[in-house]
Amino acid sequence: MDLAPYLLLAGLEGLVEASVLMLSALGLSLVFGVMRVVNVAHGEFYMLGAVGGWAIASLVPDHPALGFALALLIAPALVGALAIAADRGILRRIGYDPEATIVATIGLSYIIQQVVLMTFGPDARAVEPPFYLNIRFPWFGYSGYKLFIVAVAAVLVGALWVGLRRSRLGLMMRATQFDRETAQNFGIPVGRVYSGVFAMGAMLAAVAGVLIVPANQAHYLMGHDPLLMSFVVVIVGGLGSIPGTIAAAVLIGLSDGLMSVFFSPTLAKIVSTLLVALVLVFRPQGLFGKAETRA
Amino acid sequence: MTVQDGGCATVLSIRGLDAFYGAAQALRDFSVELRGGEVLCLLGRNGAGKTTALKAIMGTVHRPHGRLVLDGRDISGLAPEAVPREGIAHVPQGRRLFSDLTVAENLQIGLNVRPVGRRGLSTALALFPVLAERMSQRAGTLSGGEQTMLSIARAMCLDPKVILLDEPTEGLMPAAIARIREAVAQLRAAGVAVLLVEQRVDAVLPVADRVAFMENGTIRARLDIAEVRADPSVLNRYVGLGG
């Protein structure tokens, strides 16, 4: 049996999965890194992106590209606005207490799920890809749209990286991440930084949701798996570490793709979970994380 | 500005400041007047409320009562992040640098606070030239003395009217202490009002203009520095430390 086509296919599928996972996990990592909030509702922001994307795209059914472009712009913006409201209405009121925010975001996730169920119903919804392009490899053709997902994710992650390293806002976020009180002492509006970071995290998940919906389908329960896998990535990469999250997303996405093609998707999930267990036992700070130090 | 008897203008006036950690009151009726170009040294035992006093001025602890007037403007109701924008800089105990960030980024955070240009940075780098050689180094990798220099330089980037220094000589070698003392003297010469919290009385007496003793969250005594210099044993009465 010639392995090359299988390997290539598994690698491509893994890359697509890694790209979506990277966006979703970066959102979760950013929120935890800066705010120290474990956002259990993160998967619902992903789901809202997908369902919102479907709702927006279905407004212009005759122009899939236009519908998708509108969905990619509007759905994450709406999810970001909802996240700001959740931050100001819930998280800020409970003082960002680590335990209380876990309970609060569990509640928020159920509320979002049920509202989507009551509004859009339980059916899975399909969105037409913005374009049809079949990329020919020697052994098979592959969806150009799926590679578009990889490109968009790479551009977004690159922009996020540059923004965090080079912009004034990025500097404020990194300072707040390190020491909230000292950041305040230097005029950084920590409350607004928190709102912005929570919105940014939610928007990254929502973008991932919009991107994936033409390849999968939108459904009110679709947030579970991305939440679980995002936690896996963030724990393996190191809580709050952006480079670690990127590396872990690629590692887990690719291994998931390879396992799914050569064995079974269930085995892929077992391996990911086992990896988390090993990391927690032997390197609790994650593969790229480091013990906190304060000068 | 309020003009005092000695002719120096009052830059910061604090009246009846109370502060709480939860239900516990840590600061009671704290009142001081700070004039431009003077150094007021707050002394007291551990837990006397010195650090809390500085945090209360910055607004980072709950302070339900009290009035703070900076250059004639009431700043009591400002949000904590707005206080440094008015020109009050804080050098916290333990330095509290952003240790994962570079020296340049730490200084940039200071520069971002107020639209006052880079004069404060130039002054700080002239005072601590070693920082200019370490710009791309992570703050957490600097030596203890260099970290203190960076902490003060970061505050100087605000070009502040008032600077609150919380035990800047803690854990430093004599040579580094002399450099910090020089920095305080330079701030004073530049007309900045300095509120200095210290345990090491000998380290600060040469630059202090007035001394206030704190106990149980309030000021118990105020002494003129001439009186203290004439008879350093007076300090033992309050903090058990001699000059």
Side-chain angles (χ1 to χ4, degrees):
Chain A
M1 186 178 88
D2 188 5
L3 268 181
Y6 292 98
L7 273 175
L8 181 61
L9 180 62
L12 289 171
E13 286 295 309
L15 207 55
V16 174
E17 189 172 331
S19 305
V20 175
L21 195 52
M22 188 161 61
L23 290 176
S24 173
L26 271 178
L28 194 68
S29 182
L30 205 59
V31 167
F32 179 80
V34 177
M35 303 169 70
R36 291 291 183 260
V37 166
V38 177
N39 179 20
V40 184
H42 193 68
E44 308 319 322
F45 290 142
Y46 173 93
M47 177 271 287
L48 275 179
V51 173
W54 162 77
I56 292 162
S58 60
L59 295 175
V60 275
D62 298 332
H63 300 91
L66 176 65
F68 180 80
L70 290 174
L72 196 55
L73 290 173
I74 298 171
L78 292 177
V79 172
L82 176 70
I84 289 174
D87 172 64
R88 297 193 174 172
I90 303 169
L91 303 181
R92 189 177 294 184
R93 284 169 193 272
I94 55 177
Y96 301 99
D97 174 76
E99 287 86 14
T101 50
I102 291 176
V103 176
T105 53
I106 289 173
L108 181 64
S109 75
Y110 282 120
I111 291 169
I112 293 173
Q113 254 178 37
Q114 294 308 307
V115 168
V116 170
L117 175 63
M118 287 190 293
T119 311
F120 298 104
D123 300 331
R125 316 282 186 165
V127 170
E128 225 179 306
F131 58 88
Y132 286 97
L133 175 67
N134 194 22
I135 295 175
R136 293 300 309 168
F137 289 96
W139 307 283
F140 54 83
Y142 195 74
S143 162
Y145 175 72
K146 285 191 172 179
L147 295 181
F148 169 75
I149 294 177
V150 177
V152 171
V155 168
L156 281 177
V157 171
L160 181 71
W161 180 260
V162 172
L164 280 173
R165 294 285 143 187
R166 299 282 163 85
S167 74
R168 183 172 172 162
L169 179 64
L171 188 59
M172 284 162 65
M173 283 167 61
R174 287 189 290 145
T176 305
Q177 172 171 6
F178 198 78
D179 187 340
R180 174 188 167 144
E181 187 180 314
T182 306
Q184 249 178 350
N185 280 341
F186 283 88
I188 295 174
V190 169
R192 274 192 277 164
V193 170
Y194 276 16
S195 288
V197 165
F198 200 62
M200 202 181 289
M203 287 166 77
L204 282 168
V207 167
V210 176
L211 285 173
I212 204 63
V213 81
N216 294 334
Q217 289 186 324
H219 185 264
Y220 80 104
L221 290 174
M222 71 185 291
H224 289 165
D225 272 3
L227 176 68
L228 179 69
M229 292 307 288
S230 296
F231 273 124
V232 167
V233 165
V234 169
I235 291 168
V236 170
L239 287 167
S241 161
I242 304 289
T245 304
I246 295 169
V250 172
L251 177 74
I252 288 169
L254 283 175
S255 79
D256 210 63
L258 288 165
M259 294 272 177
S260 300
V261 167
F262 287 104
F263 302 101
S264 78
T266 309
L267 183 64
K269 297 286 179 289
I270 291 171
V271 169
S272 300
T273 315
L274 193 64
L275 184 60
V276 171
L278 289 172
V279 166
L280 286 176
V281 171
F282 294 107
R283 200 175 157 80
Q285 71 271 36
L287 296 179
F288 294 82
K290 55 185 174 184
E292 284 194 4
T293 53
R294 178 158 290 164
Chain B
M1 283 190 182
T2 310
V3 178
Q4 298 290 302
D5 298 339
C8 297
T10 295
V11 177
L12 180 65
S13 166
I14 303 163
R15 289 262 165 260
L17 198 61
D18 291 341
F20 291 79
Y21 292 109
Q25 186 164 5
L27 196 66
R28 296 162 204 276
D29 195 24
F30 180 83
S31 302
V32 293
E33 300 271 327
L34 273 173
R35 283 164 285 193
E38 78 162 354
V39 179
L40 170 59
C41 188
L42 274 184
L43 300 175
R45 293 185 174 89
N46 282 335
K50 306 183 297 294
T51 294
T52 303
L54 303 194
K55 287 185 174 186
I57 294 169
M58 297 307 291
T60 53
V61 291
H62 179 51
R63 49 164 160 83
H65 313 114
R67 189 158 186 262
L68 288 94
V69 177
L70 180 71
D71 263 353
R73 188 169 122 74
D74 190 337
I75 59 164
S76 316
L78 290 183
E81 64 265 21
V83 173
R85 288 184 212 135
E86 296 295 320
I88 302 182
H90 185 205
V91 178
Q93 189 175 18
R95 302 179 283 257
R96 301 281 285 266
L97 294 172
F98 302 110
S99 60
D100 265 4
L101 271 54
T102 63
V103 169
E105 287 172 330
N106 270 277
L107 294 171
Q108 187 59 49
I109 283 171
L111 288 171
N112 286 346
V113 178
R114 278 156 44 90
V116 287
R118 302 173 76 86
R119 194 180 65 176
L121 176 64
S122 309
T123 311
L125 291 181
L127 196 58
F128 306 125
V130 67
L131 296 178
E133 300 160 16
R134 305 263 196 274
M135 281 296 185
S136 57
Q137 196 171 324
R138 281 177 195 269
T141 64
L142 298 175
S143 70
E146 288 168 348
Q147 287 189 13
T148 303
M149 290 175 202
L150 176 57
S151 184
I152 294 173
R154 184 179 62 176
M156 288 173 74
C157 284
L158 275 71
D159 200 8
K161 299 170 188 169
V162 177
I163 191 162
L164 315 177
L165 294 164
D166 198 348
E167 301 204 22
T169 65
E170 189 182 26
L172 296 187
M173 304 287 284
I177 291 175
R179 187 50 75 75
I180 302 306
R181 199 186 295 132
E182 193 183 329
V184 173
Q186 191 149 334
L187 285 164
R188 181 174 63 174
V192 178
V194 181
L195 183 55
L196 176 60
V197 165
E198 258 304 341
Q199 295 276 1
R200 295 200 48 166
V201 181
D202 58 326
V204 294
L205 276 188
V207 288
D209 296 301
R210 287 188 291 145
V211 175
F213 294 94
M214 287 193 73
E215 195 176 56
N216 293 330
T218 196
I219 292 180
R220 288 284 180 222
R222 298 167 199 265
L223 289 176
D224 191 84
I225 197 65
E227 191 182 339
V228 177
R229 283 187 188 132
D231 180 15
S233 67
V234 72
L235 299 172
N236 290 328
R237 208 181 308 152
Y238 298 98
V239 288
L241 295 165

